[in-house]
Amino acid sequence: MNVYDFINSEAIAGHCRELGHSFTPLQTACLIHRSSRHTFEEKHRAYEWVIEHLPDEEADLDLEAAGGRSVSLRWFLREYMRLERACPENCFYPDFGREAAPSLYSLGLSGKEWEILNGFDQVCFVCPTPFGKGDIVWAPYYEDKSPFVFLNTWYEGMDEEEREKYVNSRCNGAADMTADGYFQDENGRIYWECMHDYMGLEYYRGDLGGKKRILKALGSFLKDEIDVGLLMNAYHILMSEEHILQVRGRMNITREGLYLAGLVQQEGKQ
């Protein structure tokens, strides 16, 4: 089994292949669980492969079923698959791997069983990415698919001890595998925010027209390709151009009317 095939991001998967980056058995199981590109059956076959071919390890999942102690990964995977098989297949949201839908609450599972089903949510780990500050990225499988300007992942700037402390903290889990960046609202304004699934990021190859051109300018500034003066001027010009287009659209003026009002030149003239 090729673990890189279960990474949602093709860019990150390719980067890990180039580096020869290895994952622990628990991290491998997490990648399988969080894959948005594999079916229920494919994931279960992959879990079985992990049980058969990878060494067992103690997984600190803070399960009440285990008295809050670490548990055998093999035991956990067997219990997880047993419980998941009891759930109707339509109880899982495809965009987020395995997420319990409201109808699951009618299955009568115990609190300990719910803990096992949510066990993967307790796992946070470091995975290298190819992205640098100023890159334009997006997350095809995330709820917000808008492009944004990448700044960093949660672990950048931490030393090894700080990373280990963060990963092993019971306050952190899958939702804390974040990436920071500059996002854009519908009016074109820029704001800082984090998203909670950096493992699903890809380079954005789509159109950066309209207000999204501001992302290009901001990315170039963060890469030290333009100075702050050019960035500010670009922001002002681009926002003004978009405002003018909106005003023209609301006025519902014909092409001839725009020409007669001096707002556009004749065809073929510069």
Side-chain angles (χ1 to χ4, degrees):
M1 187 190 79
N2 190 334
V3 64
Y4 302 128
D5 291 341
F6 288 86
I7 298 176
N8 285 324
S9 166
E10 293 183 7
I12 294 177
H15 185 62
C16 288
R17 285 191 188 95
E18 289 181 6
L19 295 177
H21 182 76
S22 60
F23 296 93
T24 68
L26 176 59
Q27 291 170 0
T28 299
C30 283
L31 291 175
I32 295 167
H33 165 74
R34 295 169 188 173
S35 173
S36 296
R37 301 190 291 183
H38 292 80
T39 65
F40 178 94
E41 293 79 9
E42 289 171 335
K43 291 183 178 184
H44 277 231
R45 286 195 295 270
Y47 293 140
E48 295 287 359
W49 186 92
V50 170
I51 292 171
E52 290 182 25
H53 294 89
L54 297 184
D56 197 9
E57 71 170 288
E58 292 295 301
D60 186 6
L61 302 176
D62 194 24
L63 299 178
E64 184 182 340
R69 303 185 307 274
S70 298
V71 297
S72 158
L73 175 61
R74 290 175 179 173
W75 174 87
F76 169 73
L77 289 177
R78 291 188 179 107
E79 286 296 295
Y80 179 84
M81 287 190 287
R82 177 183 66 81
L83 292 170
E84 196 173 53
R85 289 188 186 106
C87 301
E89 288 188 45
N90 62 0
C91 285
F92 303 107
Y93 294 127
D95 287 344
F96 299 94
R98 196 219 67 82
E99 288 287 342
S103 56
L104 282 178
Y105 289 101
S106 64
L107 296 177
L109 299 178
S110 69
K112 292 180 179 180
E113 289 173 325
W114 273 109
E115 279 194 340
I116 292 171
L117 275 177
N118 293 317
F120 282 116
D121 295 341
Q122 308 305 314
V123 183
C124 176
F125 59 93
V126 172
C127 179
T129 81
F131 310 118
K133 185 169 69 172
D135 287 340
I136 312 297
V137 298
W138 71 308
Y141 298 107
Y142 198 60
E143 52 189 321
D144 184 355
K145 297 175 174 56
S146 303
F148 67 94
V149 182
F150 180 86
L151 284 176
N152 55 265
T153 54
W154 66 266
Y155 59 80
E156 292 180 49
M158 294 184 180
D159 59 30
E160 194 64 31
E161 183 178 348
E162 290 173 322
R163 291 182 185 182
E164 284 298 314
K165 185 177 180 180
Y166 187 95
V167 166
N168 294 326
S169 170
R170 290 186 174 178
C171 296
N172 296 317
D176 298 287
M177 295 179 67
T178 58
D180 298 342
Y182 286 113
F183 293 72
Q184 188 175 42
D185 67 18
E186 61 183 10
N187 295 313
R189 291 173 295 204
I190 300 296
Y191 62 97
W192 175 93
E193 186 56 272
C194 71
M195 57 86 68
H196 297 269
D197 181 23
Y198 82 84
M199 294 287 292
L201 290 177
E202 301 280 8
Y203 289 109
Y204 185 72
R205 310 295 189 189
D207 177 50
L208 283 177
K211 295 184 181 73
K212 289 187 176 69
R213 292 177 292 170
I214 294 169
L215 298 178
K216 171 64 176 174
L218 180 54
S220 297
F221 168 73
L222 292 172
K223 291 174 179 287
D224 293 324
E225 295 173 346
I226 63 174
D227 63 20
V228 67
L230 181 51
L231 170 64
M232 293 295 98
N233 286 325
Y235 181 83
H236 175 72
I237 291 169
L238 294 172
M239 287 291 281
S240 297
E241 287 180 354
E242 291 301 309
H243 176 69
I244 290 168
L245 289 175
Q246 290 180 3
V247 171
R248 285 182 176 178
R250 288 195 294 266
M251 293 176 69
N252 196 27
I253 306 172
T254 65
R255 179 74 182 179
E256 181 183 6
L258 291 172
Y259 167 69
L260 292 173
L263 295 174
V264 297
Q265 294 182 319
Q266 281 183 295
E267 297 283 342
K269 292 202 173 183
Q270 301 297 320

